[in-house]
Amino acid sequence: MIGFVQSLGASVLALSRMIGGIVLFTTIALRWVLVPPFYGRQIVRQMVDIGYYSLPVVGLTTLFSGMVLALQSYTGFARFSAEDTVATVVVLSITRELGPVLAGLMVAGRVGASIAAEIGTMRVTDQIDALDTLSTRPMQYLVGPRIIAGIVCLPILVLIGDIIGVFGGYLVGVYNLDFNASVYLSKTLEFLEFEDVFIGLVKAAIFGFIITLMGCYHGYYSGRGAEGVGKATTNAVVSASILILIANYTVTALFFG
Amino acid sequence: MSENKTQAVKIEISNLKKQFGNNQVLTGFNLSIRKGESLCLIGTSGCGKSVALKCLIGLVSADSGSIKVDGHETIGQSRAENEALLRRFGMTFQFGALFDSLPIWENVTFRLRQKEKLSKKIAREIAGDIINQLGLAPHVLDLFPAELSGGMQKRAAIARAIADKPEILLFDEPTSGLDPITSGVINDLILNSVNRLGATTLTISHDMASVRQIADTVAMIHQGQIIWCGPVADMHDTGIAEVDQFVNGKAYGPLTSNPPDTNVAQHSEMPV
Ligand SMILES: Nc1ncnc2c1ncn2[C@@H]1O[C@H](COP(=O)(O)OP(=O)(O)O)[C@@H](O)[C@H]1O
Ligand SMILES: [Mg+2]
């Protein structure tokens, strides 16, 4: 019993220490984002890494999600003769939920892991200390550009993913479920509001922040050796994914609650 | 040995203490280095040499004690003051710590290019000059660290450390893992660069041949303290068993080769 209470207490302490650490880390990182020197080249490089190279993953994920969504909602709505709502269901689900969440989770796996591995390796091989000795603040040089790139790139990725997902639904709707193409398109746009897309993009920016922050944080405080880097990578992906789901619920509840 | 030794004290470390968890690494570390002196720090693996070096430049914050550079206390100074202090140092790390994502010329001129805008052409020329002094061919400029051999990486790291002509140079095991000939070359490089820059130098080394070649003064660390410090010529008859064993590489004596590794506990922490 005492053992249980002790380990519970220890976990609570460790958790609060981690939350405190992350808040402090975030404050320092954001502070340095606002102060020169600005590492423009680093930001561009990270945008290419985080945004451009994530396009195939995000595109494929949303394409197939849009397709399966059209199939499934058709099956469901056909049972009470509401087949013509398929287009609306697809576009609303994609823009409000599936686009941002699926893109967020896929990018968390791809980018969160690689950021944690890269920064973690720099930590265990003393490259981060070397930055300090070479008149460069590691927080400013490594962390800032990644976080900026994450916040900027995720909404763009999600917007593209939204379009591809809706297109996936259209393909299935028109070629498989025999909807009339122009009717499907007009149904897609009929009930879509600016807010639906906008909320999705706001979520995406938050997810981009979460993913890059978790990658940087776990990499920066990586334990020693290859084992430490491996753990940092896993922790970055797991914590980013969980935080994305929590943030998604919170934002939805705040905006639509 | 360096020729520009004077009597003025450059670095004064007193009663420095540092522990990680329960692992007391430095337990009252005292060391004084004169301006222009080349001092070698020796000691068994894991005894805290690298930690002492990192404390000296504020990469690791000491628990207590005092570090004075040119008479100015550096412990407890502000971040800005520490950044200014770091600009006076050049350092190589035990495992090179070259930036993987940058070619050698960008590694070497990294600090110069933080200070002032240099065109790519000029930066490459400067880098070319420096690596040439260290005996590296010009084509190395465009290679990435992973494409270099261990010896070339060490030279590139030294090039990066001396590129901005710092007052104080710190070398963490510059010759470890190298063959004796490459070690000899690196020792010469260190001596040359030091004599040319007139820098004060602190080198960590296990390699007694290298110590004999580059040191004015030798200091041995054991159980977190300096147990002997004196001119390199005196290191063979100090009358201290640990120093004698280390300097002569004897398997039996007061020193054991495998210090207890207290870090294992670090890895079994619960993930949160
Ligand atoms: N960042 C750190 N966290 C925890 N322990 C550390 C850290 N850095 C060094 N140590 C421990 O401090 C001791 C001295 O390490 P170090 O100075 O690297 O030894 P060496 O004399 O071989 O350079 C070792 O026991 C090492 O495990
Ligand atoms: Mg060491």
Side-chain angles (χ1 to χ4, degrees):
Chain A
M1 184 63 198
I2 290 178
F4 172 74
V5 173
Q6 264 180 352
S7 67
L8 186 73
S11 319
V12 170
L13 278 183
L15 185 68
S16 12
R17 203 178 307 126
M18 183 170 130
I19 293 174
I22 291 176
V23 170
L24 190 66
F25 185 83
T26 314
T27 323
I28 298 173
L30 293 183
R31 178 187 161 209
W32 288 126
V33 162
L34 305 172
V35 198
F38 304 109
Y39 295 101
R41 245 181 70 197
Q42 291 296 314
I43 298 179
V44 172
R45 210 193 111 199
Q46 292 307 323
M47 284 187 171
V48 172
D49 267 7
I50 295 172
Y52 184 69
Y53 288 121
S54 295
L55 270 177
V57 175
V58 171
L60 280 174
T61 313
T62 47
L63 177 72
F64 282 99
S65 305
M67 286 165 66
V68 82
L69 202 57
L71 277 183
Q72 289 285 27
S73 49
Y74 181 82
T75 319
F77 288 110
R79 291 185 190 163
F80 39 93
S81 313
E83 296 91 335
D84 51 352
T85 56
V86 166
T88 314
V89 169
V90 168
V91 72
L92 290 191
S93 320
I94 292 275
T95 52
R96 288 165 67 138
E97 281 301 321
L98 291 180
V101 172
L102 288 177
L105 292 178
M106 296 308 282
V107 176
R110 205 188 82 79
V111 170
S114 80
I115 291 181
E118 188 179 354
I119 296 188
T121 304
M122 292 188 71
R123 165 63 70 199
V124 303
T125 57
D126 281 338
Q127 290 178 57
I128 293 187
D129 283 343
L131 278 174
D132 267 311
T133 67
L134 298 169
S135 306
T136 304
R137 304 180 186 103
M139 282 294 228
Q140 200 173 11
Y141 182 78
L142 295 176
V143 179
R146 284 170 171 79
I147 291 183
I148 294 176
I151 295 177
V152 173
C153 287
L154 258 274
I156 301 174
L157 277 174
V158 166
L159 190 62
I160 298 172
D162 283 351
I163 296 169
I164 296 178
V166 169
F167 178 67
Y170 170 88
L171 286 181
V172 169
V174 172
Y175 293 101
N176 196 346
L177 305 172
D178 292 329
F179 281 97
N180 176 291
S182 61
V183 172
Y184 190 98
L185 274 186
S186 68
K187 284 278 177 202
T188 296
L189 298 175
E190 189 178 340
F191 294 105
L192 182 65
E193 284 170 24
F194 170 72
E195 190 197 63
D196 300 320
V197 178
F198 182 70
I199 297 301
L201 300 187
V202 170
K203 283 181 179 177
I206 296 173
F207 299 166
F209 175 69
I210 291 175
I211 294 166
T212 44
L213 179 68
M214 286 298 105
C216 292
Y217 175 80
H218 289 285
Y220 206 83
Y221 293 109
S222 163
R224 309 208 286 148
E227 193 191 347
V229 177
K231 266 201 181 132
T233 309
T234 312
N235 287 343
V237 176
V238 171
S239 59
S241 306
I242 292 174
L243 286 176
I244 283 176
L245 295 174
I246 295 176
N248 183 48
Y249 176 78
T250 312
V251 173
T252 310
L254 282 181
F255 281 88
F256 301 106
Chain B
M1 263 166 252
S2 68
E3 296 140 12
N4 14 42
K5 196 163 54 151
T6 63
Q7 288 307 310
V9 173
K10 186 78 177 171
I11 298 170
E12 179 86 65
I13 306 175
S14 358
N15 206 17
L16 194 68
K17 294 192 175 135
K18 176 68 193 176
Q19 66 183 65
F20 295 103
N22 296 324
N23 180 10
Q24 298 207 345
V25 179
L26 301 177
T27 58
F29 181 95
N30 297 296
L31 190 64
S32 161
I33 309 174
R34 290 187 305 274
K35 189 165 184 299
E37 180 176 30
S38 168
L39 186 140
C40 275
L41 187 59
I42 59 175
T44 49
S45 292
C47 70
K49 303 181 296 295
S50 298
V51 169
L53 221 60
K54 289 183 179 178
C55 283
L56 170 57
I57 54 178
L59 290 175
V60 167
S61 54
D63 297 337
S64 65
S66 149
I67 299 173
K68 288 187 177 147
V69 178
D70 286 333
H72 181 81
E73 179 63 54
T74 68
I75 288 194
Q77 65 185 356
S78 70
R79 182 169 175 112
E81 284 172 316
N82 198 54
E83 284 173 5
L85 177 76
L86 276 166
R87 283 195 279 278
R88 301 166 58 192
F89 283 84
M91 173 161 182
T92 67
F93 291 82
Q94 194 166 348
F95 303 105
L98 293 167
F99 302 126
D100 294 324
S101 57
L102 301 177
I104 297 303
W105 74 268
E106 283 196 66
N107 263 289
V108 171
T109 52
F110 195 90
R111 180 148 95 179
L112 293 171
R113 300 205 316 151
Q114 301 302 316
K115 277 204 312 201
E116 53 186 318
K117 270 235 148 332
L118 292 178
S119 70
K120 185 177 167 180
K121 186 165 168 289
I122 295 187
R124 281 180 55 99
E125 271 169 24
I126 296 176
D129 271 356
I130 298 168
I131 69 162
N132 183 36
Q133 290 166 25
L134 299 195
L136 289 173
H139 77 269
V140 170
L141 284 181
D142 293 307
L143 299 180
F144 285 85
E147 298 170 303
L148 303 189
S149 69
M152 287 157 90
Q153 286 187 6
K154 296 255 180 190
R155 292 189 213 194
I158 294 174
R160 184 175 71 178
I162 63 173
D164 196 23
K165 304 191 173 56
E167 295 164 44
I168 306 163
L169 283 163
L170 310 175
F171 298 114
D172 195 345
E173 303 197 13
T175 58
S176 67
L178 300 180
D179 63 83
I181 296 168
T182 315
S183 293
V185 172
I186 298 233
N187 291 333
D188 280 348
L189 296 175
I190 292 179
L191 277 181
N192 280 340
S193 349
V194 168
N195 287 332
R196 201 163 35 226
L197 299 175
T200 305
T201 317
L202 175 53
T203 310
I204 292 177
S205 190
H206 286 303
D207 172 356
M208 295 320 294
S210 156
V211 170
R212 279 182 209 102
Q213 208 180 330
I214 63 177
D216 300 315
T217 309
V218 178
M220 170 139 176
I221 173 172
H222 179 57
Q223 292 175 343
Q225 302 185 353
I226 296 294
I227 53 169
W228 183 76
C229 181
V232 63
D234 296 353
M235 79 180 165
H236 286 280
D237 42 19
T238 58
I240 301 173
E242 286 88 355
V243 181
D244 184 54
Q245 187 194 352
F246 192 92
V247 169
N248 296 306
K250 295 179 187 157
Y252 300 101
L255 303 174
T256 47
S257 66
N258 284 318
D261 189 5
T262 32
N263 292 303
V264 182
Q266 250 191 1
H267 295 301
S268 57
E269 262 176 31
M270 257 182 57
V272 281

